[in-house]
Amino acid sequence: MKASTVTIPFKNLKISYRFRQRTGATLVYLHGGACSKKDFAESYCLQELVHCTLLTFDFPGCGDSSYPENYAVTVDDLCEITHQLLTHLGLSNVVFLGHNLGGLVAMRYIEQYGDVAALINIEGNLSGDNCLFSKQVASLTF
């Protein structure tokens, strides 16, 4: 399945994503700081998920998504980016699968927007205080 790109209003970013629409549960993968949508690519081939709608996308500066010039993206920004992409695709009541930093983004998303069916936190951070590695990565320049 080929990736698509959409320009979202937040900082006019180009976000790269893969999307498969089906009738089952909607699973949205939120990757960790040093990862990308490619880390979840095999999910599109799994027989167990054949009826599920799947969305994988790259956070800014990861994979094939752009990163804003002269701006440091925060966790709240990642929540807004996620919200804008979900809105663009017409998705609601999703199941988040958050890996590492993606787990924290999912938690913050739930606090800010709600409308989430469930969260599966894979090796995730539950608060900003325990994001030691993610904080180190976020402080680096691209």
Side-chain angles (χ1 to χ4, degrees):
M1 174 178 287
K2 186 178 172 188
S4 300
T5 302
V6 63
T7 301
I8 60 169
F10 182 87
K11 302 289 183 190
N12 206 33
L13 289 175
K14 291 185 184 346
I15 300 297
S16 177
Y17 68 95
R18 289 178 64 189
F19 180 61
R20 181 184 76 193
Q21 182 82 44
R22 296 288 164 85
T23 58
T26 300
L27 307 178
V28 177
Y29 298 100
L30 301 174
H31 66 77
C35 300
S36 72
K37 68 183 173 301
K38 292 177 184 174
D39 294 301
F40 298 106
E42 288 186 35
S43 63
Y44 290 89
C45 301
L46 293 175
Q47 186 62 32
E48 295 84 357
L49 300 179
V50 72
H51 298 293
C52 293
T53 294
L54 300 178
L55 171 63
T56 58
F57 68 98
D58 294 329
F59 285 140
C62 299
D64 300 313
S65 290
S66 64
Y67 194 86
E69 253 185 72
N70 302 317
Y71 185 83
V73 175
T74 68
V75 171
D76 287 333
D77 295 336
L78 295 176
C79 291
E80 179 60 24
I81 290 162
T82 301
H83 182 68
Q84 288 184 14
L85 182 59
L86 294 180
T87 300
H88 170 76
L89 295 171
L91 302 177
S92 61
N93 201 34
V94 302
V95 174
F96 279 133
L97 293 115
H99 168 251
N100 200 285
L101 175 63
L104 178 59
V105 172
M107 295 287 290
R108 295 288 294 148
Y109 186 98
I110 292 166
E111 290 176 350
Q112 291 182 20
Y113 302 105
D115 198 26
V116 174
L119 164 61
I120 299 170
N121 199 5
I122 307 164
E123 190 187 345
N125 300 302
L126 298 178
S127 74
D129 296 339
N130 66 6
C131 290
L132 181 61
F133 178 71
S134 300
K135 286 179 186 178
Q136 292 170 349
V137 171
S139 70
L140 301 174
T141 61
F142 286 87

